[in-house]
Amino acid sequence: MTRFGDLVRRHRIAADLTQEQLAQLTGLSVRSIGDLERGVTGDPRRSTRRLLEQVLKLPGPTAERADDSGERKPSAQIVPRQLPAAVRDFVGRPAELATLTRLLDEAGNAVGVVVISTIGGVAGVGKTALALNWAHQIADRFPDGQLYVNLRGYDARPAVAASDALAGLLRGLGVPGQEIPPSTDERAALYRTKLAGRRILIVLDNALTADQVRLLLPGTPTCAVVVTSRDSMPGLVARDGARRLDLDPLTDSEAVELLRALIGIRVDSDPDAAASLAALCSRLPLALRVAAELTAMRSASPLAELVAELADRQRQLDLLDAVQDSSTAVRAVFSWSYLSLSAAAARAFRLIALHPGTEIDLYAAAAMIDLTVAMTTHLLDRLLAASLVQSTSPGRYLIHDLLRTYALEQATATDSDEQRRAALSRLFDHYLYVASAAMDILFPAEHQRRPEVVIPAGYAAPALATSQAAKAWLDTERAGLVAVVQCAAETGGSARHAVALGATLHRYLDAGGYYADAATIHGFAYGAAQQLGDRPAQASALISLGRTDIWQSLYADAVDRLGQALALSIQIGDLHCQIRARHNLGLADGQQGRYSEATEHYRQALGLSRRVGDQSREWRALHNLALIAARQGHYQQAIDHRQEALTLTRRLGDRNGEAHQLTGLGDVHIRRGQPEQAIDALAQALALCRQIGSRRAEAHALCDMARARLQLGEHALATSQSRQALALFREIGDLSGLADSTNTLGEVLYATGYRGHARAEHEAALRAALKTADKYEQARAHLGLVRADEADGDQARVREHLEAALTLCADIGALQADEIRARLATPADQGVSGHGG
């Protein structure tokens, strides 16, 4: 069998890399690479192995993992395909396309060279169209994928910060939200690491400044970057070696060719008028498209007559503009098309531009315009026909940034402040109505705990008849909801909408693991509650923020916020907020293995819940007490709590709570060596989780199902289900769940004979558990490593792991403490048993 170090040396030399260059690309030390190649280091750490595999493109055996059947397969890597569709009827630009390809070819694979093609030019000149057309043409040269981000540099809304752009790019590369670092520099470093050695094309669209772009540049020569911007970005050229391609308007012949593609034979019937129209549009593709749509709709009018109208309109604007440039031509074309609209269509155009998100759907548009869905459809069709809006998918619309700016100008000039605020208020109402309806379908038992929403008679809303439809609407609109909550918090007179939306969406964001969005929404809701002087709402938002901190392992922040919320709720006599605060303080303690403190919080929450008759909070307290009891080996007590909580959730019709109790019962059955009973309960739990879209609960159920299958010796199913759980926890960014599922996978791999892989999984679980301060999963990881070290005959390491596990188990009162003490007192050949329960 080929030694891994020999493989590294062979592929390094073939790639014409020195050890120093390989160290720079991987972030490893030169000494580490040298020791590996000389055989001083025999089996490198898993993270080291992966870095070298990625950079050197090592063959399959080095990246092997066990699949569902126990066979070895290479580990999968996310291949992003983020390019938007190429612009239809793209014409011309042969020289520019050839230049971009030449720049790419010239770069080759020289180490240390990063190729950046900065496409500059005026607004509407077709920078994005050129970039995307070229990107699609050469996409096959980048087998590891394509990344795209709109930096919104010249949008009516704020530009995207480099830190936020990095977070989106990392998610595109498969990094879970929990693993995205908080600081910008750390995000940039992780981004460069993820790109190391991969062939990926990155399109950074609509950039504002070089600083916004600089942190988004990869550190590997195998990636290419295209930046579009109205700015020439001399700093990017001077400091970062960018090549600049300044984009001019289309040539006369290209402009006429684009008109021909858009309006057909009328161009050939009157070539002089077509040439004049191209000139009046300053040969800018965006202006040409809008003008062409207007001429196409007025097919009965001679082209020359329409051109004369546009010329007259442009002269009018020239008189108002001290500086005539290409932007005057764009405004002239927009105004020409805009003034041809009916009053209703023009109003629709102005009002939907007020939407704070990137896209708007038909129903939100109807709310803003204050018309029926049928009438709104007719107006949007009119705007589509005029190329003033784009359709991104059935029933969803997008406005180009220049058109949005123009529409907002017209809204400011035409509609009063009161009219614009009223349109936004109707939009906020719409989102609150539909979000409430979706939450009532997904979490009906919590209806009374959400803000009361009265939906007007005859209100038109999307059909959300099923759990799947409700979740699909929330998932589709999630980014828009974040923007809407922020806008509501910042719009005078609409703070109540921000508060209500935060409280309404709480459970969806929590169950789905959308922590970044949750932090943003609850943060704005808290600020809005402060504006209103609404102390109960402040306490509620603080609790939601604290819970989000817990899931991100930010325990100090969580305890601080929850402590504030508890003090505030006691001060105002709000028992319901006191219960929530107690629950989550218990959760923060429990996650860190402080079981006695957690138990006290849960018992107080249970007493308060029974005092106010809140059965929903009652089952949650019982659920948490059962979890601690099971981990400490008090199985009958855990079952009693679970059964009582299960009865309550079924009485309430709370499918989310029922799923949690069934999963908990499965866990206890596994600990008692009753896998068949566990599988029955867990199968019911999984069905419920998938109905309501609770991804975290589904991941926990899958993880426990894998443990049950392992007890039955069903190794293929155990492998599959542990991997599914692991993938879900990674996707939602739950480090605590990640430690659990990684430990489970390690136990499965050990049982199937893959001891090296099992060791790597337990080491990864230990790292995750250390980040979350989860003593229970730390102990479990140490016990897994005991088995691996025993198999290798390393008794010193066995004892180290046993002593670490004993300290942790004793701290949390876990059942294994006595077993480990006996093992340390009388060393034996057999390993420590069990799941760590």
Side-chain angles (χ1 to χ4, degrees):
M1 186 176 187
T2 305
R3 191 169 58 85
F4 183 69
D6 292 337
L7 201 62
V8 169
R9 182 175 183 277
R10 200 161 60 238
H11 280 74
R12 176 180 62 77
I13 293 171
D16 196 24
L17 294 173
T18 65
Q19 289 185 347
E20 289 77 8
Q21 289 170 331
L22 181 57
Q24 184 179 12
L25 285 172
T26 58
L28 301 172
S29 69
V30 177
R31 179 177 178 179
S32 295
I33 293 170
D35 287 349
L36 188 63
E37 291 186 356
R38 293 193 306 273
V40 176
T41 303
D43 187 16
R45 288 181 298 185
R46 189 181 183 193
S47 58
T48 300
R49 180 183 288 263
R50 280 182 171 172
L51 279 171
L52 290 165
E53 287 169 350
Q54 289 175 1
V55 172
L56 294 175
K57 298 294 183 187
L58 299 182
T62 63
E64 288 173 344
R65 299 290 299 267
D67 72 358
D68 296 354
S69 62
E71 297 176 358
R72 294 185 175 187
K73 290 186 178 180
S75 57
Q77 194 171 49
I78 296 293
V79 179
R81 305 289 185 192
Q82 294 187 343
L83 290 180
V87 176
R88 64 182 177 86
D89 298 319
F90 182 87
V91 299
R93 307 294 194 193
E96 290 86 349
L97 289 168
T99 298
L100 286 170
T101 302
R102 177 177 56 78
L103 290 173
L104 180 65
D105 291 338
E106 286 176 356
N109 289 313
V111 173
V113 177
V114 178
V115 177
I116 309 157
S117 296
T118 305
I119 304 175
V122 298
V125 78
K127 299 180 293 297
T128 298
L130 174 64
L132 291 179
N133 186 277
W134 179 74
H136 280 285
Q137 286 183 21
I138 53 88
D140 60 350
R141 296 176 62 170
F142 296 91
D144 296 324
Q146 304 89 41
L147 293 167
Y148 172 87
V149 60
N150 180 1
L151 295 171
R152 293 207 312 256
Y154 296 88
D155 200 287
R157 297 155 296 171
V160 176
S163 182
D164 293 335
L166 283 165
L169 290 166
L170 286 169
R171 284 192 291 270
L173 291 166
V175 179
Q178 177 69 20
E179 296 181 16
I180 295 176
S183 79
T184 301
D185 288 344
E186 288 175 321
R187 289 179 180 184
L190 180 59
Y191 171 66
R192 291 191 294 270
T193 299
K194 290 293 181 181
L195 291 175
R198 299 181 69 183
R199 293 196 63 82
I200 290 181
L201 176 65
I202 303 152
V203 179
L204 306 176
D205 197 12
N206 202 14
L208 182 63
T209 66
D211 287 340
Q212 189 187 26
V213 169
R214 190 164 282 120
L215 287 173
L216 310 183
L217 304 181
T220 181
T222 55
C223 292
V225 181
V226 178
V227 182
T228 76
S229 177
R230 297 183 201 173
D231 186 84
S232 60
M233 295 200 173
L236 207 63
V237 174
R239 286 182 50 188
D240 302 281
R243 314 288 187 88
R244 185 166 70 235
L245 175 62
D246 291 324
L247 196 60
D248 294 322
L250 297 172
T251 64
D252 291 336
S253 60
E254 289 172 340
V256 172
E257 183 185 349
L258 178 55
L259 286 173
R260 183 179 292 109
L262 296 171
I263 61 176
I265 60 172
R266 296 176 73 188
V267 169
D268 296 320
S269 299
D270 194 344
D272 291 338
S276 296
L277 180 57
L280 287 167
C281 293
S282 294
R283 307 189 311 281
L284 296 173
L286 178 61
L288 285 163
R289 289 177 183 277
V290 175
E293 293 296 343
L294 180 58
T295 59
M297 288 188 294
R298 296 171 62 179
S299 57
S301 300
L303 189 57
E305 179 182 313
L306 298 174
V307 170
E309 279 187 26
L310 176 56
D312 184 63
R313 180 63 189 162
Q314 188 157 324
R315 278 192 296 274
Q316 293 174 35
L317 286 175
D318 285 345
L319 294 174
L320 299 174
D321 246 331
V323 179
Q324 283 95 51
D325 58 17
S326 57
S327 64
T328 306
V330 172
R331 288 180 66 231
V333 174
F334 290 172
S335 66
W336 187 43
S337 187
Y338 170 73
L339 291 173
S340 73
L341 298 172
S342 66
R347 177 175 175 271
F349 178 55
R350 296 193 305 270
L351 294 185
I352 64 174
L354 298 171
H355 190 289
T358 302
E359 294 183 357
I360 186 170
D361 79 343
L362 173 61
Y363 294 94
M368 297 194 80
I369 302 168
D370 200 19
L371 292 174
T372 65
V373 170
M375 295 174 72
T376 302
T377 301
H378 170 73
L379 294 177
L380 289 171
D381 285 345
R382 177 70 182 82
L383 296 177
L384 279 169
S387 282
L388 294 176
V389 301
Q390 304 168 39
S391 176
T392 58
S393 60
R396 297 189 69 77
Y397 305 89
L398 174 73
I399 304 179
H400 186 281
D401 59 348
L402 284 180
L403 283 162
R404 182 189 289 271
T405 300
Y406 178 79
L408 291 173
E409 288 177 0
Q410 298 308 308
T412 301
T414 306
D415 305 305
S416 67
D417 290 346
E418 183 180 348
Q419 288 170 323
R420 296 197 302 276
R421 281 197 300 268
L424 283 172
S425 183
R426 290 191 298 271
L427 176 71
F428 302 153
D429 279 338
H430 161 77
Y431 277 110
L432 185 55
Y433 296 159
V434 185
S436 295
M439 295 300 291
D440 282 349
I441 292 170
L442 291 173
F443 304 98
E446 298 185 15
H447 172 77
Q448 298 301 324
R449 301 219 314 267
R450 287 189 287 271
E452 184 178 355
V453 175
V454 179
I455 301 177
Y459 171 74
L464 303 179
T466 64
S467 297
Q468 291 77 11
K471 185 175 184 301
W473 184 87
L474 289 165
D475 289 345
T476 301
E477 294 291 348
R478 190 168 71 250
L481 285 163
V482 174
V484 162
V485 171
Q486 177 177 355
C487 184
E490 296 172 347
T491 299
S494 294
R496 65 177 182 85
H497 286 104
V499 169
L501 277 165
T504 298
L505 294 167
H506 155 69
R507 183 62 60 202
Y508 160 73
L509 296 168
D510 184 73
Y514 306 119
Y515 305 133
D517 292 336
T520 301
I521 284 176
H522 297 313
F524 280 112
Y526 177 63
Q530 288 181 307
Q531 289 178 41
L532 295 169
D534 186 338
R535 295 198 293 172
Q538 290 175 45
S540 180
L542 280 170
I543 292 167
S544 295
L545 283 167
R547 187 174 178 86
T548 302
D549 287 335
I550 290 169
W551 295 131
Q552 297 178 97
S553 306
L554 303 171
Y555 297 119
D557 291 341
V559 170
D560 179 56
R561 283 174 165 149
L562 293 168
Q564 291 180 54
L566 180 60
L568 182 56
S569 59
I570 291 172
Q571 186 180 49
I572 61 179
D574 188 328
L575 292 180
H576 291 280
C577 273
Q578 289 181 47
I579 296 167
R580 283 189 68 202
R582 290 286 186 192
H583 271 300
N584 287 287
L585 283 165
L587 181 61
D589 282 329
Q591 289 284 97
Q592 299 173 85
R594 296 199 292 265
Y595 287 167
S596 60
E597 294 91 336
T599 298
E600 180 57 29
H601 282 302
Y602 293 146
R603 284 176 177 161
Q604 290 199 41
L606 180 61
L608 286 170
S609 299
R610 287 171 171 166
R611 176 178 163 187
V612 300
D614 188 339
Q615 293 185 329
S616 180
R617 298 295 181 200
E618 184 179 352
W619 77 249
R620 290 180 187 280
L622 290 165
H623 164 85
N624 289 319
L625 288 167
L627 177 64
I628 290 176
R631 288 189 168 188
Q632 292 183 321
H634 308 310
Y635 298 141
Q636 190 56 53
Q637 184 183 41
I639 287 177
D640 291 344
H641 286 323
R642 290 285 179 206
Q643 291 290 2
E644 188 177 356
L646 184 61
T647 300
L648 286 171
T649 57
R650 285 175 171 167
R651 183 186 303 156
L652 293 167
D654 189 335
R655 292 177 296 169
N656 179 51
E658 184 179 354
H660 279 294
Q661 301 327 304
L662 288 166
T663 300
L665 282 171
D667 170 66
V668 179
H669 288 314
I670 292 166
R671 293 172 190 274
R672 299 180 80 172
Q674 300 166 329
E676 293 89 351
Q677 291 173 261
I679 287 171
D680 180 61
L682 292 166
Q684 296 177 62
L686 274 173
L688 287 168
C689 292
R690 288 164 178 166
Q691 283 176 22
I692 61 176
S694 182
R695 297 190 299 167
R696 187 189 306 110
E698 179 183 354
H700 279 295
L702 280 167
C703 191
D704 286 344
M705 185 75 86
R707 292 166 51 211
R709 297 292 183 188
L710 179 59
Q711 283 190 357
L712 290 171
E714 297 173 355
H715 294 156
L717 276 173
T719 303
S720 173
Q721 287 164 340
S722 59
R723 288 193 186 281
Q724 289 177 56
L726 183 58
L728 263 177
F729 281 127
R730 276 189 175 141
E731 185 180 338
I732 64 177
D734 187 329
L735 266 186
S736 180
L738 196 64
D740 183 3
S741 55
T742 307
N743 268 327
T744 298
L745 180 58
E747 290 159 6
V748 172
L749 290 172
Y750 183 84
T752 52
Y754 295 106
R755 292 172 181 169
H757 292 304
R759 179 197 298 277
E761 297 297 343
H762 287 304
E763 287 173 344
L766 182 58
R767 289 193 296 273
L770 284 167
K771 287 181 182 178
T772 64
D774 188 333
K775 293 181 180 179
Y776 176 78
E777 292 298 340
Q778 289 175 45
R780 189 177 166 199
H782 280 297
L783 293 177
L785 290 169
V786 164
R787 287 187 289 271
D789 289 332
E790 282 180 327
D792 293 341
D794 190 341
Q795 292 303 315
R797 292 289 293 164
V798 167
R799 188 166 191 85
E800 284 179 21
H801 286 302
L802 283 171
E803 288 173 346
L806 176 59
T807 300
L808 291 161
C809 288
D811 281 350
I812 62 178
L815 189 64
Q816 289 98 327
D818 289 340
E819 182 182 354
I820 297 169
R821 286 191 187 94
R823 175 76 173 83
L824 284 167
T826 311
D829 292 335
Q830 69 272 18
V832 176
S833 63
H835 152 264

